[in-house]
Amino acid sequence: MGTAAASNKLQHGYPTPGPQNPDGQKVMDHVFFLSNAEWKQAREENDYDFVVIGTGFCALAFAERTLKTNPFARILMVERGPFFLPEHFQNLPLPFKDTLGGLSETFPWTMSAKNQLGQAGTIHWQHGMVPFFGGRSTLWSAWCPRPNRDEFSGWPEETIAAAEKNFESAERLLRVQSADQIDSGLSKQERAFVSGNRPVYGELQRKVQHLLEESGTSVDGIYRTEAAPLASASENVNGIDFQKFSTPGDILQLAETQAALFKAGKGAKLDIVTECVVEKIIQQEVNGTPQATALQTSRGVLPLGAAKLVLAMGTLPPTTLLRNSFPDYPGLGQRFSAHFISSIVARVPKADLDPAADLGRLELGACYVAGIANNSYEQQYHIQLSALWDENPVVNSPTALRYMPDVVATASMAQLLSSKDHVVFVCAVLGELDYTNPGSWFLQNSDDSNITTNSLLQIEENGKDKQTWTAMDEATFNILETVLSPKGKTAVQYWHGAPDEGDWKTARPEQSAIRVDAPVHESSTLHIGTQTDAPVDLDYRFKGASNVYVTGGALWPQGGSWNPTLTMVALAQDLADKLTKKTT
């Protein structure tokens, strides 16, 4: 109860009632984040080893690894937005699903008119940023596959090795578990009992996984399948055994740990400031080399001193920031990649998949299926395949939400209610946008005077993209019709129409009905490499400055198709190792 008092002389309603207008952000500032007075001190007096912009996956990974190696490292995290969600929205009550999209996203760029007018192909817009503490980690799907060496096509050998070295530690940090391990400790009888209360990754997971292992690679282009690796493990506290990962809790725990170490003289505090937009990096030449000397922010100038600056703020915002801050450095944003998407929902009679009636009352399955077009790892795609069997979706929906592999790509209530005696398959299919296409770019927008948004994004589909998109759609249909339907194509039905206003038909849906008009996982705008056109060197340093480092998807030389978070975290940990060794 000690935190109830604001001061020794003004507390508990005496001598006056005290402030009557607290809000969530003020509470968080009082307990966890820098107050106005502390921010003033940070700017005017504090010396930092590292200033990290962002509070998402890469920021956590960098800070956690750095402080594990050297608990005395002084780190300041700068977050542009306020506190929003305390954890992943799936771990919260059902209505929080409505926080997806809308005002929870910002678009700090202008979209090309060519996209908006439909002249660049299917893609009309790009998913935005989540400008809150924790960033997109509170609103993501949590799929975390490890890319293999072939899938790292076009990457420097040193960077591949760094990712592979850190995959295991990245999985521990993100609490990744395979879908087939989620309920593996339960007996068949226990799974049957549990499925009356919550979804089980049990018989359905095994059946789908077995079918894919047995004949998935017989489908043209498909070369590997596995149980979905999901960032969803927990410490099983208070009966919670499935918890999607997000960074807010872990960052605050890290800050609390460091505060205790500081008090005991065994470490340094981790400082966090929120609602602070970094507008520009102020730079000067020092000993003949450009160096970041300060940050121009919405809350005043922050001198950097000897601190190293780590950009952990997504893919596109750091590109805008560097372009405005180092205007003489060429080529930033000339390369762009992302993942275009198809969404296919199908169903198969339960009796075909489960003739012995082994399934419980509420079961899920999740598998990752990887493929390539034209036998080339420069044209990668994958299927995030979710399977659902639910005897009573109306009753089960609040509980089922927590355990869904991907709430963004899951069956609607209308699809489930109309699928009695069927297993529903939801396929989110992601393909690699060709990074060599000169028609896709993220460049300066001279018509915008706001230096935090003055970029123009264009995403154009070329012939290679169209080939990949066609190949991945065909492979998905073939997986459903020849692998997951024991009685073949005629037993498969597809959903036609809007998620809540459609019906089931045996005909495949039209191309225009399944292709999504916005890609995800933007990448490659600040790609890493030894080539002269690569803006970032193999130590993650922006080549235009001596003390600025880049994390995240912007580093990708080639987009691949695999979900990027695990690799982002692994490389952020490698960056921490490199910089911590230099400062200790």
Side-chain angles (χ1 to χ4, degrees):
M1 298 298 291
T3 58
S7 72
N8 291 330
K9 291 188 176 182
L10 293 169
Q11 57 181 323
H12 307 140
Y14 180 84
T16 64
Q20 299 298 306
N21 60 343
D23 61 40
Q25 186 62 42
K26 289 178 182 177
V27 172
M28 295 301 293
D29 287 345
H30 179 66
V31 179
F32 295 111
F33 307 142
L34 296 185
S35 65
N36 287 334
E38 290 168 329
W39 171 239
K40 182 176 184 294
Q41 180 181 349
R43 292 171 54 214
E44 296 178 359
E45 301 177 25
N46 291 0
D47 294 320
Y48 292 102
D49 297 306
F50 305 104
V51 173
V52 181
I53 306 178
T55 56
F57 301 109
C58 292
L60 169 64
F62 177 85
E64 189 271 344
R65 178 65 72 87
T66 298
L67 293 169
K68 185 176 182 180
T69 303
N70 176 18
F72 287 93
R74 290 300 316 274
I75 299 176
L76 170 66
M77 285 186 175
V78 182
E79 169 56 50
R80 67 161 291 163
F83 184 82
F84 176 37
L85 296 179
E87 59 177 325
H88 195 284
F89 80 102
Q90 262 184 264
N91 303 333
L92 299 170
L94 180 64
F96 278 91
K97 71 181 188 304
D98 297 327
T99 59
L100 281 167
L103 292 180
S104 67
E105 276 189 325
T106 59
F107 303 88
W109 55 77
T110 298
M111 203 72 209
S112 167
K114 191 172 183 180
N115 284 107
Q116 280 294 297
L117 296 174
Q119 298 171 354
T122 300
I123 296 171
H124 291 178
W125 59 289
Q126 166 70 45
H127 279 284
M129 311 302 296
V130 179
F132 301 102
F133 182 67
R136 188 162 290 283
S137 77
T138 60
L139 298 164
W140 70 305
S141 69
W143 290 63
C144 285
R146 285 193 190 190
N148 63 32
R149 288 217 147 220
D150 290 331
E151 292 165 348
F152 272 120
S153 176
W155 285 56
E157 172 58 36
E158 295 90 336
T159 310
I160 299 172
E164 291 175 334
K165 178 183 176 182
N166 288 286
F167 275 150
E168 187 174 339
S169 60
E171 287 169 342
R172 285 196 302 270
L173 181 67
L174 295 168
R175 296 193 281 277
V176 176
Q177 61 181 342
S178 294
D180 60 347
Q181 297 300 309
I182 294 170
D183 288 314
S184 62
L186 301 178
S187 68
K188 185 174 181 179
Q189 292 75 19
E190 288 172 328
R191 287 193 297 270
F193 173 78
V194 171
S195 71
N197 301 289
R198 66 145 173 95
V200 171
Y201 285 84
E203 297 300 326
L204 181 58
Q205 173 70 39
R206 273 184 285 282
K207 289 176 185 293
V208 171
Q209 193 171 328
H210 173 71
L211 290 171
L212 289 169
E213 290 171 350
E214 190 174 54
S215 53
T217 55
S218 66
V219 172
D220 186 40
I222 302 299
Y223 60 88
R224 74 177 176 105
T225 69
E226 62 179 307
L230 301 174
S232 61
S234 71
E235 286 94 19
N236 201 15
V237 177
N238 297 325
I240 296 173
D241 52 6
F242 186 95
Q243 188 166 4
K244 287 287 186 74
F245 182 85
S246 62
T247 66
D250 281 52
I251 291 177
L252 296 181
Q253 180 62 61
L254 187 61
E256 188 173 83
T257 298
Q258 288 302 127
L261 290 173
F262 174 74
K263 188 175 181 179
K266 297 180 179 180
K269 289 182 179 179
L270 169 61
D271 287 344
I272 306 167
V273 62
T274 58
E275 297 186 289
C276 182
V277 179
V278 177
E279 300 165 342
K280 188 176 181 180
I281 302 168
I282 298 171
Q283 52 107 352
Q284 289 188 28
E285 280 203 6
V286 178
N287 297 324
T289 304
Q291 178 176 315
T293 58
L295 298 181
Q296 175 183 313
T297 83
S298 59
R299 295 179 63 177
V301 172
L302 172 71
L304 291 174
K308 292 178 171 58
L309 180 63
V310 178
L311 308 186
M313 48 197 293
T315 294
L316 301 183
T319 310
T320 300
L321 178 63
L322 289 176
R323 187 188 298 118
N324 285 308
S325 305
F326 300 87
D328 295 332
Y329 195 89
L332 304 182
Q334 286 188 340
R335 180 180 294 198
F336 179 85
S337 188
H339 293 156
F340 45 76
I341 312 168
S342 288
S343 178
I344 299 172
V345 181
R347 70 179 188 181
V348 173
K350 175 180 177 288
D352 294 357
L353 284 165
D354 183 34
D358 291 325
L359 298 189
R361 285 167 284 181
L362 179 56
E363 296 224 13
L364 298 174
C367 289
Y368 180 88
V369 181
I372 53 175
N374 293 326
N375 295 313
S376 170
Y377 284 94
E378 290 191 358
Q379 293 180 256
Q380 300 175 37
Y381 62 84
H382 80 261
I383 307 167
Q384 292 173 200
L385 191 148
S386 300
L388 301 91
W389 158 248
D390 191 345
E391 284 188 350
N392 196 339
V394 173
V395 171
N396 293 329
S397 58
T399 305
L401 170 77
R402 170 181 282 275
Y403 291 85
M404 291 293 181
D406 186 352
V407 172
V408 178
T410 193
S412 68
M413 186 61 69
Q415 291 162 349
L416 291 172
L417 287 174
S418 60
S419 295
K420 184 180 179 181
D421 300 325
H422 286 79
V423 172
V424 177
F425 292 100
V426 180
C427 301
V429 198
L430 279 63
E432 173 184 13
L433 189 76
D434 180 17
Y435 74 94
T436 68
N437 182 5
S440 294
W441 37 255
F442 185 69
L443 301 176
Q444 186 87 31
N445 181 12
S446 57
D447 292 330
D448 187 349
S449 60
N450 184 333
I451 59 174
T452 67
T453 62
N454 63 351
S455 289
L456 187 64
L457 174 61
Q458 180 170 292
I459 308 172
E460 182 183 75
E461 299 150 46
N462 63 12
K464 185 184 285 188
D465 297 322
K466 292 173 182 177
Q467 288 176 350
T468 304
W469 213 332
T470 298
M472 76 183 203
D473 289 348
E474 183 65 22
T476 305
F477 287 128
N478 287 334
I479 285 285
L480 291 164
E481 294 169 0
T482 67
V483 177
L484 298 179
S485 174
K487 293 189 177 179
K489 178 179 180 179
T490 57
V492 180
Q493 291 183 315
Y494 295 98
W495 185 259
H496 291 248
D500 292 313
E501 298 178 358
D503 56 6
W504 296 100
K505 299 178 182 179
T506 55
R508 293 179 177 180
E510 295 293 325
Q511 182 184 100
S512 59
I514 61 173
R515 294 190 174 180
V516 179
D517 62 354
V520 294
H521 304 154
E522 62 277 10
S523 67
S524 306
T525 52
L526 301 170
H527 65 282
I528 191 170
T530 57
Q531 306 94 324
T532 56
D533 68 335
V536 176
D537 69 21
L538 298 184
D539 287 332
Y540 312 100
R541 183 183 64 84
F542 170 55
K543 293 178 182 178
S546 63
N547 61 339
V548 179
Y549 297 83
V550 178
T551 67
L555 294 172
W556 275 211
Q558 179 179 324
S561 83
W562 27 275
N563 309 69
T565 302
L566 182 69
T567 304
M568 287 164 45
V569 166
L571 296 182
Q573 291 177 329
D574 187 58
L575 170 61
D577 288 344
K578 284 180 164 60
L579 295 187
T580 305
K581 288 175 182 176
K582 290 180 180 180
T583 58
T584 57

